[in-house]
Amino acid sequence: MHDALLPLSVFFASIFTSNILLTNYLGTCSFLSVSKEMKTSLGLGVAVIFVMATTTPLNWLVYEYLLLPFGLEYLRFIVFIIVIAAFVQLTEMTIERYSEPLYQSLGIFLPLITVNCAILGVCLFMVIREYSFFTSFVFGLGSGIGWFVAIIAMAGIRVKLKNAKVVPALEGPGITLIIAGFMAMAFMGFSGMIAVS
Amino acid sequence: MAKNKVRKTFLEPLGKNNPVFVQILGICSTLAVTNKLQNTMVMTLGVMFTTALSSWTISLLRNHIPSRIRMMVETMVIATFVIIVDIVLKAFYPEMWKQLGPYVGLIITNCIVMGRVEAFALQNKPTLSLIDGLASGLGYAYVLLAIAFVRELLGTGSLWGYRILGSWWTNWSIMIMPPGGFFVLAILIWIIRETIMKETNHA
């Protein structure tokens, strides 16, 4: 793979072939609970894109210039989570300031972004795969979009599902997980298009 | 009385208050490694260790943490224990550490750990919190081990890396791929809820 093309392929791979939610199961908790409604899914999806696209490069800088020179790599979990928490706080304040209804509908879910495994997961993947600064940014953005696509698709399906008869025991998380499985299968159809290690 | 409470604290997360089935929490970070029994074992041990000890620590500190910054403090405590798990793994089982990749670090964001700390440890005594954390970890562990058991057996015909089923067995490779995890978990939830529902209907 040509080096100049790497960011591009990472971008598409993180949306389709290695979707952070459907192939790595990251962020499943909030995915299952939020995808009930289209509106909240949209809000959370956008918030995730924003937080991922900003925190991943930020954490790259912190890792490269703060942790590596002092040999503090083992502290990365703590440091990454602090950066993410600070950013989530910022997002929360921004949304509260500019869009009251969105803030109301997201409610308790915004703080949940801090413990959204997908965000920390992307940062940890970036370290392990040794991406450059720009590639990390693209990877964060792409993963965010991938998560957004998955949750929107699921919310759309679940809207239709309201009219369907589901076995009582499968209602809610059960059927959502089965649908997620089928979505993961559908997304596997993309594999082979782009391969990124 | 006190003994009863300890018993209840220990048994509830294993049965009717199981974090995975009832609350559907914390599956994210570990579902990804359930395609092999061995990896799942190591991960769930890590989760158990973290849940138990961070519940205990937070419970010790519960009267000294200002409530406004409690989330931050909780995250720090949890992260500390996860770092310990990470370093121990890296030092003694480098192969396993490599395979698990980022997932060890993701124990921090496992909702169960945070959930138990928030819901239980902040209001209860240290020993009881330790028991609760341990039991939640156990309740979590056996569910994920069950998933891993099904996935590895059907997906590769082996268990713990040893071939169990003979050469007649055609591997269901979908099981070790991502969709398999979703399906197995969904079916497990289905079975459990069906049995629980029947019980409550009779009662």
Side-chain angles (χ1 to χ4, degrees):
Chain A
M1 178 76 54
H2 198 274
D3 268 0
L5 281 177
L6 182 69
L8 195 67
S9 52
V10 165
F11 180 69
F12 283 108
S14 54
I15 298 178
F16 297 113
T17 54
S18 47
N19 188 298
I20 194 96
L21 178 74
L22 295 172
T23 59
N24 292 318
Y25 307 106
L26 296 183
T28 322
C29 306
S30 31
F31 174 72
L32 289 180
S33 51
V34 175
S35 64
K36 252 176 272 170
E37 272 178 59
M38 194 54 150
K39 221 175 134 199
T40 30
S41 308
L42 264 172
L44 190 70
V46 172
V48 165
I49 296 182
F50 172 72
V51 175
M52 266 189 195
T54 41
T55 51
T56 317
L58 207 65
N59 276 330
W60 188 89
L61 289 176
V62 170
Y63 186 74
E64 200 72 12
Y65 293 110
L66 220 62
L67 298 184
L68 271 185
F70 296 107
L72 295 172
E73 295 98 316
Y74 64 89
L75 279 183
R76 65 183 183 281
F77 299 155
I78 285 195
V79 174
F80 284 1
I81 205 97
I82 293 176
V83 172
I84 293 167
F87 239 91
V88 168
Q89 201 90 54
L90 182 79
T91 321
E92 195 181 349
M93 274 150 58
T94 319
I95 292 185
E96 191 179 8
R97 171 78 179 73
Y98 290 107
S99 170
E100 189 60 30
L102 184 64
Y103 184 75
Q104 291 296 334
S105 59
L106 281 179
I108 55 162
F109 292 117
L110 255 179
L112 262 181
I113 288 194
T114 318
V115 285
N116 187 326
C117 355
I119 312 242
L120 183 66
V122 168
C123 295
L124 294 176
F125 270 123
M126 152 203 92
V127 168
I128 285 176
R129 295 178 187 164
E130 297 175 339
Y131 285 149
S132 69
F133 177 73
F134 183 66
T135 317
S136 315
F137 166 69
V138 167
F139 178 56
L141 183 67
S143 302
I145 295 175
W147 204 86
F148 177 82
V149 167
I151 196 168
I152 292 300
M154 179 58 86
I157 295 173
R158 283 183 79 170
V159 168
K160 298 275 175 205
L161 207 64
K162 276 180 190 151
N163 303 323
K165 252 190 178 171
V166 180
V167 189
L170 266 180
E171 261 171 14
I175 194 74
T176 314
L177 280 168
I178 290 182
I179 298 170
F182 282 120
M183 268 165 69
M185 268 162 94
F187 271 66
M188 271 167 64
F190 290 116
S191 60
M193 261 170 46
I194 319 153
V196 169
S197 60
Chain B
M1 184 66 207
K3 209 178 161 193
N4 253 342
K5 200 170 179 199
V6 171
R7 244 181 79 121
K8 208 178 138 212
T9 314
F10 186 74
L11 289 179
E12 274 207 335
L14 294 179
K16 67 173 182 207
N17 225 341
N18 189 294
V20 180
F21 293 135
V22 182
Q23 303 153 5
I24 323 286
L25 282 182
I27 40 175
C28 355
S29 49
T30 315
L31 205 53
V33 295
T34 50
N35 51 6
K36 273 192 193 144
L37 208 50
Q38 228 166 337
N39 296 359
T40 317
M41 192 60 154
V42 173
M43 270 297 281
T44 49
L45 281 178
V47 173
M48 239 189 280
F49 172 82
T50 320
T51 328
L53 286 184
S54 38
S55 280
W56 183 70
T57 316
I58 292 291
S59 179
L60 278 179
L61 297 171
R62 70 185 187 283
N63 295 325
H64 306 286
I65 305 173
S67 67
R68 288 195 62 176
I69 56 159
R70 65 171 202 287
M71 290 282 227
M72 216 60 208
V73 177
E74 287 160 14
T75 315
M76 293 299 105
V77 170
I78 295 168
T80 312
F81 286 114
V82 173
I83 289 176
I84 295 174
V85 172
D86 187 60
I87 291 177
V88 168
L89 267 185
K90 195 178 175 183
F92 293 102
Y93 306 98
E95 268 310 302
M96 182 56 82
W97 182 78
K98 238 185 212 152
Q99 274 191 29
L100 292 179
Y103 293 108
V104 179
L106 288 171
I107 296 177
I108 299 175
T109 53
N110 190 317
C111 331
I112 288 182
V113 187
M114 190 63 125
R116 286 334 288 173
V117 167
E118 273 277 299
F120 198 90
L122 280 177
Q123 285 100 34
N124 286 286
K125 292 210 173 76
T127 326
L128 212 56
S129 303
L130 182 76
I131 293 171
D132 175 72
L134 198 67
S136 300
L138 264 176
Y140 176 70
Y142 83 78
V143 175
L144 281 152
L145 285 171
I147 297 175
F149 180 86
V150 175
R151 284 185 76 186
E152 194 180 348
L153 186 66
L154 297 183
T156 61
S158 44
L159 282 177
W160 207 265
Y162 297 106
R163 183 97 195 162
I164 297 285
L165 302 169
S167 51
W168 50 270
W169 177 258
T170 312
N171 292 341
W172 299 10
S173 41
I174 191 83
M175 276 297 163
I176 48 170
M177 283 195 267
F182 287 116
F183 289 141
V184 176
L185 180 61
I187 291 168
L188 222 59
I189 289 177
W190 186 2
I191 297 171
I192 296 288
R193 290 216 166 162
E194 195 76 54
T195 44
I196 289 178
M197 271 179 188
K198 264 199 190 127
E199 272 171 24
T200 44
N201 278 351
H202 281 295

